[in-house]
Amino acid sequence: MEGSLLIDIVLWTMYVLLAVAIAAALWSAVHGVMTHERTDDTLAARHTSMLGYATTAVVAVTLLVTFLFGSTQPVVSNGQPFTDTLWLRLTDMFIYTSLILICLCSVIVGVAKCRR
């Protein structure tokens, strides 16, 4: 009974955090569109759009690759085997993608600091 209560708390916390993340993403997108300044510098505009496309592509490719290489080995959770291969791969995908992107961001920030 106590384990079930803990799982419910974790699930509801995840739902709330997901809702907050979606709301923040939507607000950020709307705010970015509303405050976007039009510039005559087409080179800067091209660089910004290419950076956005590159970021989207890196995230998408990382998600795909980590999903394809995700483990399908059964996991024992709360004494019961968990064998659903889709969820096992999705779990690995999110864990490894997060780690890869955090490391990549750290490297990019480090390189940017060294260039100054």
Side-chain angles (χ1 to χ4, degrees):
M1 189 71 166
E2 295 158 0
S4 174
L5 178 63
L6 182 60
I7 290 172
D8 288 342
I9 291 171
V10 170
L11 285 174
W12 280 107
T13 303
M14 288 174 52
Y15 292 145
V16 169
L17 289 174
L18 177 65
V20 169
I22 290 171
L26 290 174
W27 179 83
S28 177
V30 169
H31 185 304
V33 168
M34 295 297 203
T35 60
H36 178 71
E37 294 180 16
R38 303 287 183 233
T39 179
D40 292 333
D41 189 4
T42 56
L43 182 60
R46 193 173 330 146
H47 174 69
T48 303
S49 65
M50 288 302 291
L51 187 61
Y53 293 143
T55 302
T56 302
V58 166
V59 171
V61 168
T62 305
L63 284 169
L64 179 66
V65 168
T66 55
F67 177 79
L68 293 175
F69 287 110
S71 174
T72 58
Q73 293 293 330
V75 175
V76 177
S77 177
N78 293 331
Q80 297 197 5
F82 186 73
T83 59
D84 190 350
T85 57
L86 173 69
W87 289 111
L88 289 167
R89 282 183 184 245
L90 282 174
T91 302
D92 276 357
M93 176 186 75
F94 286 122
I95 291 170
Y96 291 130
T97 298
S98 299
L99 291 174
I100 290 169
L101 293 178
I102 288 170
C103 291
L104 185 62
C105 288
S106 298
V107 168
I108 291 170
V109 167
V111 168
K113 290 277 186 183
C114 289
R115 283 186 154 184
R116 288 185 182 191

